[in-house]
Amino acid sequence: MRNRIVQALFTFKEGDLFWSFRHSPVAIIALIVTVLLMACALFAQSVAPFNPYDLAGLDLMSAHLPPSWSDGGDSRYWLGTDDQGRDLFSTMLYGLRLSLKIGLISVVLSLLLGVCLGLISGFVGGRLDAFIMRVCDVMLSFPAILIALLIDGIARASLSQQMHDELAEPVLILAITLSGWVQYARTVRGQTLVEKQKDYVSAAKLIGAGTCRILFKHLMPNVMSSVLVLATVHVGTAVITEATLSFLGVGVPPTTPSLGTLIRVGNEFLFSGEWWITIFPGLALVALVLSVNLLGDWLRDALNPKLR
């Protein structure tokens, strides 16, 4: 097992993908920023000086404090405090973790659903293909935010307020998943239509391979390059969607740290001079989404043989 891992690492270091990465300063910087932000979010309990979930530690008298280097700032709060007296730096780290958690889970679920339906649609064809594509057309006719608002509205109408707050994260994940799987399905379906005409698929049919074996062992590895690029970019889109819903007040409850909620709260006090509540979470959100999108652009170019 160890020898296989070493061999795989050596093969990767000698491959075209790693060579392209080493010669792309933008990709290197984007990866460093992405890994740094993800590490800070993952280890927020160790990095953050305060726990924003600890309601007993909140001090409303410390609300709306400016950053520590400004007049009236407190050295305990590097980036100041929000309207609830929470340390803004700590709240941002926990909010970043929440955004990444919702974004990554929804992207994985969208990928699984979209790839499976795309493979089936492209390989089987016929009425099933027509039905799946019509569903995709219907889903594409609605903006992702509108679908998410619709699902959240149904959840609010059918659940109590307390239960809705407890299920806020699963509702957001479901909303983003249902609005994101279509892109994977259409991409995979188009590539499957091309790949299923090739000789290796015909050979698999001749030796008696079943449909599932052909789909997931032969076809899926040959369509995953475009899917990986799409998934990388989709992470940034999912994080933006979660922040947008929280900004609109239909995401997680106000007591749960979220970048979108912080930006919404800070927007109410922006013109009174309390700019830090909006600016710092906004910069963190921009840095995360921009770095992920730059990685996606590099991966798209690196995996495209026509651009080599």
Side-chain angles (χ1 to χ4, degrees):
M1 184 66 181
R2 183 179 179 182
N3 292 334
R4 290 183 179 180
I5 295 176
V6 173
Q7 184 179 2
L9 290 175
F10 179 78
T11 303
F12 174 74
K13 289 180 64 176
E14 297 297 325
D16 294 338
L17 191 63
F18 187 69
W19 182 92
S20 175
F21 176 75
R22 288 191 294 112
H23 290 79
S24 176
V26 174
I28 294 174
I29 296 174
L31 180 63
I32 292 174
V33 173
T34 302
V35 171
L36 181 61
L37 291 174
M38 287 186 173
C40 290
L42 181 63
F43 301 104
Q45 293 179 341
S46 301
V47 177
F50 298 93
N51 183 4
Y53 287 101
D54 184 13
L55 299 180
L58 297 181
D59 182 11
L60 294 178
M61 299 300 295
S62 300
H64 304 289
L65 290 178
S68 58
W69 63 83
S70 302
D71 294 337
D74 192 322
S75 60
R76 295 176 299 169
Y77 310 115
W78 304 342
L79 302 181
T81 60
D82 63 1
D83 63 323
Q84 301 180 39
R86 299 178 297 188
D87 175 48
L88 190 59
F89 176 70
S90 303
T91 308
M92 283 172 50
L93 292 183
Y94 279 85
L96 193 62
R97 182 168 67 177
L98 176 65
S99 298
L100 283 171
K101 174 185 174 182
I102 293 175
L104 291 175
I105 293 177
S106 61
V107 167
V108 171
L109 294 178
S110 298
L111 187 148
L112 293 175
L113 179 61
V115 168
C116 291
L117 291 178
L119 286 171
I120 294 172
S121 178
F123 186 76
V124 176
R127 293 182 178 179
L128 182 60
D129 176 34
F131 174 74
I132 295 176
M133 287 301 102
R134 297 299 76 76
V135 173
C136 290
D137 293 337
V138 172
M139 297 295 291
L140 286 175
S141 64
F142 295 95
I145 296 296
L146 185 58
I147 296 176
L149 290 173
L150 176 63
I151 294 174
D152 183 81
I154 295 174
R156 286 179 181 271
S158 58
L159 301 174
S160 63
Q161 183 63 40
Q162 181 180 358
M163 186 174 294
H164 177 270
D165 291 343
E166 295 175 354
L167 298 176
E169 292 183 23
V171 169
L172 282 174
I173 292 172
L174 177 63
I176 298 173
T177 299
L178 291 180
S179 63
W181 67 270
V182 178
Q183 301 295 335
Y184 298 98
R186 291 172 66 90
T187 301
V188 172
R189 184 243 184 194
Q191 292 191 331
T192 302
L193 290 174
V194 176
E195 293 293 327
K196 75 175 185 178
Q197 305 297 332
K198 295 186 177 179
D199 294 339
Y200 71 90
V201 176
S202 300
K205 292 180 180 179
L206 287 175
I207 63 175
T211 301
C212 291
R213 183 179 179 86
I214 294 175
L215 288 178
F216 297 104
K217 185 175 181 180
H218 298 286
L219 283 174
M220 190 170 71
N222 291 286
V223 302
M224 286 304 293
S225 58
S226 299
V227 171
L228 291 176
V229 175
L230 188 60
T232 304
V233 177
H234 189 204
V235 171
T237 305
V239 171
I240 286 290
T241 303
E242 184 278 326
T244 303
L245 292 173
S246 297
F247 181 85
L248 295 175
V250 297
V252 295
T255 55
T256 302
S258 171
L259 294 180
T261 303
L262 286 173
I263 295 174
R264 176 175 61 84
V265 171
N267 187 58
E268 299 175 358
F269 302 98
L270 184 61
F271 293 102
S272 63
E274 299 172 2
W275 51 269
W276 56 89
I277 305 178
T278 292
I279 297 299
F280 290 131
L283 290 176
L285 184 63
V286 169
L288 175 62
V289 175
L290 180 60
S291 60
V292 171
N293 286 342
L294 290 176
L295 278 177
D297 290 342
W298 163 78
L299 192 61
R300 178 197 59 199
D301 297 340
L303 294 176
N304 190 348
K306 296 180 180 180
L307 300 177
R308 295 178 183 173

